[in-house]
Amino acid sequence: MEKIVALCKRRGFIFQSSEIYGGLNGAWDYGPLGVELKRNLKDYWWRCMTQVRDDIVGFDGSILMNAAVWKASGHVDTFSDPMVECLLTKKRYRADQIEPQSGTAYYFSGIHLRKITSVSLPFQTHENVPAIERIALPFSVLVPKGKPEESARKIARQFYIGRGHVEADIVSLDLEKSEPLENTKLFNPENGAQLSEPKVFNLMFKTYVGATEDESSITYLRPETAQAMFVQFKNVLEVARKKLPFGIAQIGKAFRNEINPRNFTFRSREFEQMEVEFFVKPGTGPEWLEKWKEDRLAWYEAIGIPRAKIHVLTVPDADRAFYSQGTYDLEYEFPFGIQELEGIAHRGNYDLTQHAKASGKPLEYFDEEAKQKYLPEVVEPSAGVDRTVLALLCEAFAEETVKDEESGKEETRTVLRFAPRMAPVKAGIFPLLKNKPELVAKARAVQKMLQPLMKVAYDEAGSIGKRYRRIDEEGTPFGITIDFETLEGAKTAFTSVMGTQVEAGQTDTVTLRHRDSMKQERIAIADLPGYLLAAVS
Ligand code: GAP
């Protein structure tokens, strides 16, 4: 992961938000290459959902919504994680993410403090008399088996000092008892200090709408994009003129005040989702859940994440979200573990029922054939944009020992093997030498020809080998080199990739270099648009 994070910064994929001010935990900025990668991913999802099939329509809802939406959806009351706080450092953790530990627990009941008391004597004089005061304040520490009691005392001392007591005044600690513990989750794995009782912590970011900051102006940044699609179900249904089953698709930002943002962009506080709410006839939800699972698995393969790297988890009843009747998690083998990329949930008619009840507005669908009104069931494939970008980066990253294409010396090549349709830049365009105006002019002409069709990058700096290495690290699948053969004519006759016959001596051919195999071939400039478009679309 460290190598991937470093590459992301070096090449301009992802930067820490507000970096020059020390960053903001859980927020990330996408640089010039990252934004292209992210856009390619979102565009492809959008194309697959709303263009290639005709049973899903697009939608773009607002981030701020009436607070009643979040009350009705259940998010105000139940969208929360149990949180514990380290009594020593005040850092907060998700209670369910604390790793069980074993060791010896030391229970302190308080401290004895040296105190100087001023005693009044006759004739208006005073004397400072030392006294000992006992402060009762329980605190416990877990130390690994075999570590001395002193290490527990050290942590406990820090705790009491943190509560405002001066170190030099602490005479002794009151140790009540010690005992061995197995698999306990009551102590901070980072320092052994006692954790607080779990408290429920709502993950929604609260804000105020308008100039008055009171209860009536509270709303929340949306924690999922889904709710706007439920709330607007009736409006969309009327204008889309669709029959069930049909879906609404949306890509947009969501915000969650995660207790522990971690693993680079994996768990962020601001992120993007790609969600479909797919409305189906009552009783058919389970069957659609299976269909969507297969559809989505195929989609990940199409963006370059192999089926073998995706694990399908049937989420156990106890772990499902409050709205779900059945959920599959599609998980990817990240370097930090197998973790969720997308959730596919059978939400039943939970959301439409809740909003119909809370708003008093009917949200039923009228089935013309059955001449019946009912609330449809919903199957929801919900993918994370940032997590999928991270999976694409992890999947693409490779380091290999290769022979330098110019010197023939062995060296380490870092390469991002993105599927061409995801690659931020599709082709690098290189004049062999920058001080030959004819080569530069031809390279610029090739660039102009390709620019309206796809993202290409012109580069004339450094040796051609260095330029190839640079685009390898950026994941660009093709390198196009304009060389002397381009100007002077092909050395031998050949058939260009699209079937064009090139005679010996014919000008306007270039070297096409492939990122993954590093193979080079000759191609007619006229064949470039057709060949590249087919390869990257
Ligand atoms: N509407 C359903 C829903 O929001 P979810 O499983 O909570 O379901 C869906 O979220 C997807 O959104 C996840 O699979 C993940 O890819 C992404 N996601 C959720 N929380 C995230 C976070 N804190 N950071 C980055 N992505 C997140």
Side-chain angles (χ1 to χ4, degrees):
M1 258 334 270
E2 269 171 33
K3 283 183 178 176
I4 293 170
V5 174
L7 174 68
C8 280
K9 168 145 197 208
R10 187 167 74 242
R11 287 295 175 203
F13 281 93
I14 300 170
F15 306 120
Q16 195 184 15
S17 163
S18 328
E19 192 188 271
I20 60 168
Y21 289 101
L24 177 69
N25 204 1
W28 300 93
D29 294 338
Y30 288 79
L33 288 180
V35 72
E36 295 291 342
L37 176 62
K38 199 178 184 194
R39 195 166 281 270
N40 290 343
L41 175 73
K42 291 193 287 182
D43 285 352
Y44 186 65
W45 185 90
W46 193 253
R47 192 146 29 105
C48 292
M49 295 301 158
T50 68
Q51 280 172 234
V52 174
R53 51 195 294 168
D54 62 5
D55 56 353
I56 302 181
V57 293
F59 181 79
D60 188 20
S62 61
I63 288 173
L64 295 174
M65 299 173 76
N66 189 315
V69 170
W70 304 111
K71 186 79 192 142
S73 69
H75 285 83
V76 171
D77 295 327
T78 42
F79 192 60
S80 46
D81 280 337
M83 179 203 75
V84 287
E85 190 175 285
C86 170
L87 296 190
L88 180 65
T89 61
K90 302 264 188 292
K91 253 173 96 175
R92 290 172 174 191
Y93 303 88
R94 258 175 63 176
D96 57 343
Q97 288 176 350
I98 298 289
E99 290 293 328
Q101 310 150 77
S102 303
T104 309
Y106 291 87
Y107 299 89
F108 298 91
S109 58
I111 45 173
H112 287 107
L113 275 186
R114 185 175 296 111
K115 222 175 164 216
I116 306 295
T117 316
S118 182
V119 177
S120 298
L121 296 174
F123 312 111
Q124 290 184 339
T125 57
H126 299 269
E127 189 183 322
N128 288 335
V129 179
I132 299 289
E133 187 186 4
R134 182 171 188 277
I135 308 280
L137 181 56
F139 177 70
S140 50
V141 183
L142 186 80
V143 297
K145 269 180 208 141
K147 269 207 157 183
E149 183 180 314
E150 192 42 39
S151 49
R153 286 182 173 276
K154 234 169 139 180
I155 302 281
R157 253 172 202 280
Q158 286 173 26
F159 166 77
Y160 290 112
I161 292 164
R163 298 289 154 129
H165 303 298
V166 178
E167 185 167 15
D169 291 346
I170 299 176
V171 181
S172 63
L173 306 180
D174 262 354
L175 177 65
E176 210 169 61
K177 63 167 185 169
S178 66
E179 64 176 349
L181 288 182
E182 295 290 329
N183 295 325
T184 170
K185 294 176 106 184
L186 300 177
F187 300 89
N188 184 351
E190 287 169 18
N191 56 21
Q194 184 186 339
L195 294 168
S196 70
E197 286 289 313
K199 276 188 214 135
V200 168
F201 174 77
N202 194 296
L203 297 182
M204 285 196 294
F205 278 97
K206 211 182 251 183
T207 188
Y208 298 94
V209 175
T212 323
E213 293 193 1
D214 61 18
E215 278 290 311
S216 67
S217 61
I218 287 178
T219 195
Y220 305 90
L221 302 188
R222 66 180 178 202
E224 61 170 8
T225 63
Q227 292 304 320
M229 295 184 271
F230 293 125
V231 172
Q232 296 287 10
F233 166 68
K234 253 316 183 27
N235 277 337
V236 176
L237 184 67
E238 268 164 35
V239 296
R241 295 165 52 238
K242 298 273 179 213
K243 286 194 181 134
L244 295 188
F246 97 102
I248 308 178
Q250 178 172 209
I251 300 177
K253 290 263 187 182
F255 303 83
R256 296 183 190 176
N257 200 359
E258 297 283 358
I259 297 165
N260 287 333
R262 58 185 175 158
N263 289 330
F264 200 21
T265 57
F266 179 82
R267 190 174 301 287
S268 310
R269 291 188 167 132
E270 174 177 340
F271 55 95
E272 259 180 297
Q273 292 185 316
M274 308 183 278
E275 296 195 300
V276 174
E277 304 309 325
F278 200 72
F279 301 89
V280 302
K281 284 188 183 172
T284 63
E287 169 193 321
W288 279 102
L289 184 65
E290 296 306 312
K291 277 191 195 154
W292 271 106
K293 180 186 76 181
E294 294 308 320
D295 250 49
R296 299 300 300 145
L297 285 168
W299 187 83
Y300 283 106
E301 286 224 274
I303 61 168
I305 300 182
R307 177 69 186 84
K309 290 279 198 73
I310 304 240
H311 299 243
V312 180
L313 172 79
T314 305
V315 179
D317 292 358
D319 296 347
R320 280 202 308 260
F322 57 90
Y323 49 71
S324 167
Q325 297 182 13
T327 302
Y328 287 122
D329 278 353
L330 305 190
E331 301 178 320
Y332 172 71
E333 285 178 21
F334 286 100
F336 45 81
I338 299 174
Q339 298 275 350
E340 177 186 338
L341 261 189
E342 164 160 354
I344 309 173
H346 172 15
R347 293 179 80 128
N349 60 20
Y350 171 83
D351 303 88
L352 291 180
T353 305
Q354 290 296 103
H355 290 305
K357 241 197 268 170
S359 68
K361 302 280 179 341
L363 293 176
E364 286 116 336
Y365 168 83
F366 181 68
D367 186 327
E368 306 256 1
E369 281 160 31
K371 302 279 179 257
Q372 251 186 336
K373 265 188 185 174
Y374 51 76
L375 285 177
E377 290 179 358
V378 175
V379 173
E380 175 199 62
S382 171
V385 174
D386 309 78
R387 284 191 189 175
T388 312
V389 166
L390 187 57
L392 289 174
L393 283 160
C394 294
E395 191 57 39
F397 182 85
E399 276 180 340
E400 53 189 28
T401 306
V402 294
K403 279 210 168 106
D404 180 78
E405 284 147 287
E406 284 174 315
S407 65
K409 275 197 212 142
E410 285 212 330
E411 60 171 31
T412 304
R413 163 171 107 124
T414 304
V415 56
L416 289 177
R417 298 181 188 278
F418 293 125
R421 63 160 59 102
M422 289 295 119
V425 178
K426 309 301 184 191
I429 299 171
F430 313 127
L432 186 62
L433 298 172
K434 69 173 177 192
N435 54 6
K436 285 275 176 267
E438 307 89 309
L439 289 176
V440 169
K442 187 54 86 183
R444 288 290 188 193
V446 170
Q447 180 193 18
K448 270 226 144 33
M449 176 183 78
L450 293 176
Q451 263 171 338
L453 306 177
M454 65 192 72
K455 179 91 186 157
V456 295
Y458 173 90
D459 187 4
E460 57 180 27
S463 72
I464 200 73
K466 284 229 170 66
R467 282 180 268 171
Y468 285 157
R469 283 291 172 278
R470 204 146 48 215
I471 62 166
D472 286 345
E473 267 206 358
E474 295 175 353
T476 304
F478 301 104
I480 298 167
T481 303
I482 288 78
D483 47 26
F484 291 107
E485 222 176 313
T486 310
L487 305 177
E488 290 159 7
K491 287 192 183 125
T492 51
F494 69 95
T495 307
S496 183
V497 285
M498 302 297 281
T500 307
Q501 292 304 314
V502 175
E503 303 301 324
Q506 190 175 317
T507 58
D508 286 348
T509 64
V510 291
T511 300
L512 183 69
R513 185 251 192 195
H514 298 263
R515 175 198 64 201
D516 295 345
S517 62
M518 301 199 302
K519 288 216 168 94
Q520 301 189 5
E521 63 182 325
R522 215 71 219 151
I523 178 172
I525 290 177
D527 280 351
L528 279 174
Y531 177 79
L532 294 177
L533 276 179
V536 305
S537 65

